[in-house]
Amino acid sequence: MNQDDLFFMAEALVEAEKALVLDEVPIGAVIVYKGEIYARGHNLRESLADPTAHAEIVAIRKAAAKRGSWRLHGMTIYVTLEPCPMCAGALVNARLDRLVFGAFDPKAGAAGSVMNIVANEHLNHRLSIEGGLCSEQAGELLTRFFQRKR
Amino acid sequence: MNQDDLFFMAEALVEAEKALVLDEVPIGAVIVYKGEIYARGHNLRESLADPTAHAEIVAIRKAAAKRGSWRLHGMTIYVTLEPCPMCAGALVNARLDRLVFGAFDPKAGAAGSVMNIVANEHLNHRLSIEGGLCSEQAGELLTRFFQRKR
């Protein structure tokens, strides 16, 4: 854990708060390139009626549009929850260097919990992974959301 | 194999041909609801500079926009190549009923070849799968593309 990682994860948590305000499952992400935030995203699945509009996918699509390339070499993504299989696969397809995530997801996590797509020897690209950063804050946001839903 | 499946896979192959014309890896998909084509898509990764713009994701996003919901219950997707982990995860997230695919992908296929995300007992939704339909035609398109690249 380093101070930069904490700083950027705090920004991902800000994104998750934006999702919460929209009554979306509160998950946020930022993509960092050369020490600066390059793209941001939060879950918009309900707002956009788009099953692919998870925080990671929203941020990846913005970063790729900004770079003008689908290849996001040299970038790190910070996301408040362990990616699902779709998002983990997107991180591999986009060739990001590194994944830092907050809370582990024992139900659908694809960066080690249920399966590991992000660093899978069978696939043609692997990211380095750090999990559990600020997991309490990330988890607390999710708990608040699901308690409100009951 | 039934005649309807052959008909819709032929339409997915038409989509793959559209990708080939654009110098994209030739993969195509159609989503079918109540016996009719509901959405179509082909790979646009290079054209859109979007690592998520695989044929399946393009078709899923169109179908969800048309339905006004991220839940695509009752729908079948026909795709010319076995889905990658990202696309397989998207099929699960979108709650489609059934996947019919053409060629198997021994390098990245996530509907049985390298892993199985589409019918995974750990995840909260599973699709029924039929693989290998019109695999020769689907494979021939891919071979033509990669030979041209050399």
Side-chain angles (χ1 to χ4, degrees), chain A:
Chain A
M1 188 192 305
N2 65 49
Q3 289 304 312
D4 280 358
D5 283 349
L6 282 173
F7 175 82
F8 292 124
M9 185 57 81
E11 291 294 321
L13 286 162
V14 168
E15 287 297 312
E17 294 268 9
K18 292 181 191 170
L20 189 65
V21 169
L22 297 169
D23 209 27
E24 297 273 3
V25 179
I27 303 166
V30 296
I31 292 178
V32 171
Y33 180 58
K34 294 189 174 174
E36 292 187 358
I37 293 177
Y38 196 77
R40 320 176 61 104
H42 51 272
N43 179 30
L44 289 169
R45 184 177 64 168
E46 302 288 347
S47 306
L48 298 180
D50 179 352
T52 74
H54 287 192
E56 301 93 314
I57 302 283
V58 171
I60 286 169
R61 297 181 78 221
K62 281 188 195 167
K66 187 169 173 180
R67 181 176 269 191
S69 166
W70 57 265
R71 294 175 186 86
L72 302 183
H73 287 296
M75 300 194 188
T76 296
I77 189 164
Y78 294 79
V79 56
T80 57
L81 182 69
E82 184 181 358
C84 75
M86 173 183 75
C87 292
L91 298 179
V92 173
N93 290 355
R95 311 282 196 269
L96 283 103
D97 282 5
R98 184 170 175 244
L99 162 67
V100 182
F101 67 86
F104 285 86
D105 183 354
K107 287 186 181 169
S113 290
V114 171
M115 60 185 86
N116 193 337
I117 291 169
V118 180
N120 187 306
E121 63 176 7
H122 297 293
L123 302 177
N124 67 349
H125 179 75
R126 281 163 289 279
L127 288 81
S128 70
I129 306 176
E130 180 169 342
L133 190 70
C134 306
S135 60
E136 280 180 32
Q137 293 94 315
E140 192 273 329
L141 276 172
L142 290 163
T143 302
R144 206 170 356 137
F145 174 81
F146 286 110
Q147 279 178 346
R148 198 166 73 186
K149 286 286 163 190
R150 269 182 221 124

Side-chain angles (χ1 to χ4, degrees), chain B residues 138-149:
Chain B
E140 192 272 330
L141 275 172
L142 289 162
T143 302
R144 201 164 9 128
F145 174 79
F146 286 110
Q147 280 177 345
R148 198 166 72 186
K149 286 285 164 192

Side-chain angles (χ1 to χ4, degrees), chain B residues 63-78:
Chain B
K66 187 170 174 180
R67 180 176 269 191
S69 166
W70 57 265
R71 295 174 186 84
L72 302 182
H73 287 295
M75 299 194 189
T76 296
I77 188 164
Y78 294 80

Side-chain angles (χ1 to χ4, degrees), chain A residues 45 48-52, chain B residues 30-34 38-40 55-77 87 89-99 125-127:
Chain A
R45 184 177 64 168
L48 298 180
D50 179 352
T52 74
Chain B
V30 297
I31 292 177
V32 171
Y33 180 58
K34 293 190 175 174
Y38 196 78
R40 321 176 61 105
E56 299 94 315
I57 302 284
V58 171
I60 286 170
R61 297 183 76 220
K62 282 188 195 168
K66 187 170 174 180
R67 180 176 269 191
S69 166
W70 57 265
R71 295 174 186 84
L72 302 182
H73 287 295
M75 299 194 189
T76 296
I77 188 164
C87 292
L91 299 179
V92 172
N93 291 354
R95 311 280 196 271
L96 283 102
D97 282 5
R98 183 170 175 245
L99 162 68
H125 179 76
R126 282 163 287 279
L127 288 82

